[in-house]
Amino acid sequence: MQLFLSLLLLLLLVASSPPVASHYSSSTSSPSSSSVSSDASEWRPARATYYAASNPRDAVGGACGYGDLVKSGYGMATVGLSETLFERGQICGACFELRCVDDLRWCIPGTSIILTATNFCAPNYGFDPDGGGHCNPPNKHFVLPIEAFEKIAIWKAGNMPVQYRRINCRREGSIRFTVDGGGIFISVLITNVAGSGDIAAVKIKGSRTGWLPMGRNWGQNWHINADLKNQALSFEVTASDRSTVTAYNVAPRNWDYGQTFEGKQFETP
């Protein structure tokens, strides 16, 4: 009898207890190695202005280190990014699609333009972000050549609301490696990168060495201190989406500073 009463009391306690809340953590899979993630490709709000084509210095140089943008193959389909978007130069080479929105007077309907990140729009802390400080944090701002701006909006529009999204870069030909420096200092500018477009890591290999990691000097200029003269050069390039291409014997053993060589290209779906 006592055993029966004990069991009955236990059942009553269980029935009257509140349910236990379940806790769980969710994880997302890593981004695809062959394409920009779907989240990054969503349209997001920003603003855009342009610079006048009459200023030739804007087509040469830039914070990504590509030099003459026409000779580098980027032409005028380029863009400078505000500090919030620039990621201290790691975003250099990435491709964006922009379209004009919310202004029926100035937008050209049904148009968009694909641009490569090649420059930095520096903040101006003498103005508020809502005033003249277009590129001040936290603003997401794009500065286009007027030739590109006029593909999506009438130039009189000035500071325009736009939408943007990351897309895969499509390039003609192979990745280009421009070798510069002197002595044991080697600097390599990497251009014409397909796929995600921006580079996360680079390794170099001489015909008599193993793989040596290079450091980011600025933009897409990578450097190393190593004596690799009279050795054929190979490169391993890892993009921001973690895909990697390895280009063997890109430069012959008699390479010299100032020369440009072509290697393997990322596949773009």
Side-chain angles (χ1 to χ4, degrees):
M1 183 65 179
Q2 187 174 359
L3 178 60
F4 173 78
L5 291 174
S6 299
L7 291 173
L8 180 61
L9 179 61
L10 179 60
L11 289 172
L12 289 173
L13 288 172
V14 171
S16 62
S17 299
V20 177
S22 61
H23 298 275
Y24 64 92
S25 61
S26 61
S27 61
T28 57
S29 59
S30 59
S32 168
S33 62
S34 61
S35 62
V36 175
S37 69
S38 59
D39 180 63
S41 64
E42 294 178 359
W43 289 104
R44 302 174 186 274
R47 298 190 75 87
T49 49
Y50 63 85
Y51 61 84
S54 60
N55 191 351
R57 67 181 180 175
D58 290 312
V60 179
C64 291
Y66 292 128
D68 189 314
L69 297 176
V70 175
K71 290 183 178 179
S72 297
Y74 297 111
M76 303 305 288
T78 59
V79 66
L81 305 180
S82 62
E83 184 172 329
T84 301
L85 294 168
F86 191 63
E87 299 179 9
R88 298 186 177 183
Q90 296 182 43
I91 199 72
C92 289
C95 293
F96 295 87
E97 184 176 9
L98 264 66
R99 64 186 183 188
C100 184
V101 294
D102 299 335
D103 197 323
L104 299 178
R105 183 170 56 159
W106 303 121
C107 291
I108 300 175
T111 60
S112 68
I113 187 168
I114 296 173
L115 305 164
T116 301
T118 61
N119 210 344
F120 174 52
C121 178
N124 185 346
Y125 294 112
F127 296 92
D128 293 331
D130 295 332
H134 302 320
C135 292
N136 294 3
N139 290 350
K140 294 181 178 179
H141 198 90
F142 294 82
V143 182
L144 289 64
I146 191 170
E147 294 92 338
F149 188 90
E150 288 184 316
K151 300 287 186 182
I152 58 173
I154 299 171
W155 68 271
K156 291 183 179 180
N159 188 2
M160 282 294 301
V162 296
Q163 289 180 337
Y164 75 96
R165 64 180 177 180
R166 278 284 303 271
I167 64 170
N168 282 312
C169 300
R170 297 186 179 277
R171 305 295 185 201
E172 294 291 333
S174 304
I175 298 176
R176 301 188 189 111
F177 303 86
T178 301
V179 182
D180 214 329
I184 65 169
F185 177 78
I186 297 176
S187 174
V188 179
L189 170 62
I190 303 177
T191 58
N192 202 54
V193 181
S196 68
D198 50 343
I199 301 169
V202 179
K203 293 180 181 179
I204 189 172
K205 179 184 182 302
S207 51
R208 299 193 300 271
T209 73
W211 287 104
L212 307 172
M214 303 188 75
R216 188 190 302 273
N217 195 311
W218 59 292
Q220 291 303 353
N221 284 276
W222 298 76
H223 72 277
I224 190 172
N225 286 319
D227 184 5
L228 298 177
K229 290 293 288 183
N230 301 313
Q231 299 183 56
L233 302 180
S234 303
F235 294 94
E236 180 185 279
V237 179
T238 300
S240 63
D241 62 5
R242 286 175 259 173
S243 58
T244 298
V245 296
T246 303
Y248 291 99
N249 300 321
V250 168
R253 63 181 302 273
N254 62 341
W255 63 268
D256 203 356
Y257 298 112
Q259 293 180 318
T260 298
F261 307 95
E262 294 191 359
K264 190 178 178 182
Q265 182 62 277
F266 287 97
E267 295 182 3
T268 304

